Amino acid sequence: MEPEQIREGYLVKKGTLLNSWRAVWVVLSEDGVEFYKKKTDRSPKGMIPLKGATLISPCQDFSKRMLVFKVTTENKQDHFFQASHVEERELWVKDIKRAITCLQGGKKFARKSTRRSIRLPETVNLAQLYTLMKNQDDGVKELKLEQDNRVFNHCFTGATVVDWLISKEKARNRPEALMLATGLLNEGFLQPAGDLSKEGAEQAQETAFLDDTNALYYFADSGFFCEGYSSDEDVLVKEEFRGNIVKQGCLLKQGHRRKNWKVRKFVLRDDPAFMHYYDPSKGDDPLGSVHLRGAVVSAAEYVPDAKKYDIDGNLFEIITSDEIHYFFQAATAEERKEWIKAIQTVSNTGK
């Protein structure tokens, strides 16, 4: 009997022999993790057995890479994966941990009930706390703050976080709030933005987070960016990134010149309405952007040259206001529906 598939999607994986990172299609089953060069490949590049395995998240072995988790097999072989945003990492980590636990106990994999508990557990769930902090109405407010001739967008101070934790009764006092904030920092949910907060994090003391009005931080998957006063042109370019992040994740995108298809990480922002795309295996500098104001998005059943690259199903198209056509493939029909709905909303409301 074939093992049941639990989760599948794109992740960035570090090579086992080389230090290169590549986007791969990952399939989690009850007893292992398979990864493929392409979603359409029939044979996996490798398989990670989960019996006797351990998982560490976040994995901080790579200072320049966020949202990494590590799976170590029973024979002590390490495998490193990187997600495109916090929520995606947490979903993968939760399911892999549960699969490992079920194997250890000889039980069948079964998802826990998603029904919300009325009371928060006494032991703080940092992922749940992070979600509350990001709530646009009742969470920590993201601001544009100036410091040392630089402008930090979509960030907040350490003191603001501590104040919020106390005001929402997540901590009884400032020392307790500081320990919670340090946990969020160590887990990769919060990131240091300015020089002061970076120094605090690098000192690796018991409370690496700073309860300070001059220490700046940002949400790991927010629209944070820093700009100087170098030129008006630089500020104009950065204007694209001021919008709130509506949706993000990996899609296949057709290239404009060669018509080949590559996995790209996409970040959809609402005002101004832009969808930036990145090489998920590299840094945070975008490869390009799609201006969505007035754009039309729809499902597509046929894309020129797609069959040549074995691309079929869950396709959609964006036609911009200046009539540039972009073609994409989502991992599932449901994901395609979610992207189309989000892009339609942004193109109609964003400037």
Side-chain angles (χ1 to χ4, degrees), residues 26-246:
V26 182
V27 178
L28 168 64
S29 63
E30 295 172 302
D31 60 356
V33 177
E34 293 181 337
F35 51 96
Y36 300 76
K37 185 176 180 180
K38 295 188 301 181
K39 179 184 176 182
T40 52
D41 287 351
R42 295 185 178 181
S43 300
K45 287 186 64 179
M47 192 273 190
I48 305 168
L50 292 180
K51 185 177 181 180
T54 57
L55 187 147
I56 294 177
S57 176
C59 172
Q60 298 174 329
D61 292 9
F62 309 95
S63 58
K64 294 184 179 180
R65 286 190 177 270
M66 297 162 51
L67 308 176
V68 174
F69 62 91
K70 177 172 71 172
V71 179
T72 303
T73 63
E74 191 173 28
N75 62 3
K76 306 304 179 186
Q77 185 175 24
D78 293 332
H79 297 271
F80 300 92
F81 294 92
Q82 182 182 27
S84 61
H85 54 94
V86 169
E87 286 82 358
E88 181 181 59
R89 183 190 68 180
E90 293 305 300
L91 289 171
W92 277 100
V93 166
K94 180 180 178 181
D95 281 346
I96 293 173
K97 281 185 174 180
R98 187 150 179 78
I100 292 172
T101 301
C102 289
L103 283 170
Q104 290 173 342
K107 298 178 181 178
K108 181 81 173 175
F109 183 96
R111 296 189 184 278
K112 292 182 178 180
S113 172
T114 57
R115 188 178 300 171
R116 292 185 178 180
S117 174
I118 296 174
R119 292 183 179 180
L120 285 173
E122 291 183 10
T123 302
V124 176
N125 183 319
L126 292 178
Q128 186 181 46
L129 183 59
Y130 177 71
T131 301
L132 294 172
M133 291 179 70
K134 287 184 62 183
N135 185 285
Q136 291 188 357
D137 297 322
D138 206 30
V140 175
K141 304 302 180 187
E142 296 177 276
L143 303 171
K144 183 171 80 171
L145 302 173
E146 296 186 31
Q147 191 178 93
D148 300 327
N149 291 330
R150 288 180 292 173
V151 178
F152 297 86
N153 298 269
H154 294 282
C155 70
F156 37 82
T157 71
T160 299
V161 173
V162 171
D163 289 339
W164 183 88
L165 289 168
I166 295 172
S167 68
K168 301 302 177 184
E169 300 181 349
K170 306 305 176 189
R172 292 170 293 182
N173 50 48
R174 299 193 84 81
E176 189 174 293
L178 192 57
M179 293 300 293
L180 272 179
T182 298
L184 289 163
L185 182 69
N186 291 338
E187 287 288 315
F189 292 113
L190 300 181
Q191 294 291 322
D195 295 335
L196 181 62
S197 58
K198 288 179 180 178
E199 288 174 9
E202 290 169 0
Q203 287 174 1
Q205 297 177 354
E206 185 178 357
T207 54
F209 191 90
L210 302 180
D211 179 7
D212 194 310
T213 56
N214 292 314
L216 306 182
Y217 298 90
Y218 63 94
F219 295 128
D221 52 356
S222 74
F224 170 79
F225 68 94
C226 175
E227 58 187 324
Y229 293 109
S230 57
S231 69
D232 292 337
E233 182 180 357
D234 182 54
V235 174
L236 183 63
V237 171
K238 295 295 185 182
E239 180 73 28
E240 293 184 11
F241 297 90
R242 294 191 189 279
N244 294 315
I245 293 179
V246 175

Side-chain angles (χ1 to χ4, degrees), residues 10-23:
Y10 294 109
L11 291 172
V12 174
K13 185 182 185 299
K14 180 180 177 294
T16 51
L17 298 177
L18 303 176
N19 289 326
S20 59
W21 293 74
R22 295 184 182 277

